Amino acid sequence: MDPFPKDSESAAGGEPSRGAAPSSGVVVQVREKKGPLRAAIPYMPFPVAVICLFLNTFVPGLGTFVSAFTVLCGARTDLPDRHMCCVFWLNIAAALIQILTAIVMVGWIMSIFWGMDMVILASKYSALTHLTSPL
């Protein structure tokens, strides 16, 4: 038995032949719409984001609480039209939600995901700063 199908077998099997024209390219762009609490997560340096993830893993809300103070130190967020103090209080509110709902495990899970988002944003931020740095 031949391990490679013949042209008639591949056509009958529903597989596309190698000489087929590529399908027309359609570009679809997906943009995530974030709520105000999620958009208030600051873009921190990568080591700080990892520390916040570690804190959120073991003490729900603590890393989010620490990240709120990075906003006061000038960390950028996805809420450029809001004042720094408003974004600070949004992060404090997220930390309190995580702490208060940690009893029923929802806050702990939310806290871990929040820390993972911090690390993801930090890695994107560091990749962008390395691309734009003059060195």
Side-chain angles (χ1 to χ4, degrees):
M1 177 159 207
D2 188 17
F4 298 105
K6 296 181 176 80
D7 289 334
S8 62
E9 290 176 348
S10 65
E15 296 176 15
S17 63
R18 292 181 187 227
S23 63
S24 63
V26 177
V27 178
V28 177
Q29 183 178 4
V30 178
R31 183 173 292 215
E32 179 183 9
K33 184 177 179 188
K34 297 179 178 179
L37 279 181
R38 192 94 180 231
I41 298 174
Y43 289 85
M44 300 175 279
F46 190 76
V48 177
V50 171
I51 290 170
C52 288
L53 171 61
F54 182 79
L55 292 173
N56 271 349
T57 302
F58 295 105
V59 182
L62 184 59
T64 307
F65 185 75
V66 169
S67 75
F69 289 97
T70 64
V71 173
L72 296 179
C73 294
R76 192 176 69 81
T77 64
D78 289 331
L79 295 172
D81 55 335
R82 298 242 179 135
H83 192 267
M84 179 187 318
C85 290
C86 179
V87 177
F88 169 77
W89 287 111
L90 283 171
N91 279 296
I92 295 295
L96 288 175
I97 291 169
Q98 292 168 7
I99 291 168
L100 294 175
T101 59
I103 299 166
V104 291
M105 297 294 287
V106 173
W108 192 26
I109 294 168
M110 177 186 173
S111 183
I112 292 170
F113 278 111
W114 217 260
M116 290 178 1
D117 281 343
M118 289 179 204
V119 172
I120 290 169
L121 289 175
S123 65
K124 287 180 184 177
Y125 179 71
S126 66
L128 287 175
T129 56
H130 287 320
L131 290 175
T132 59
S133 67
L135 296 177

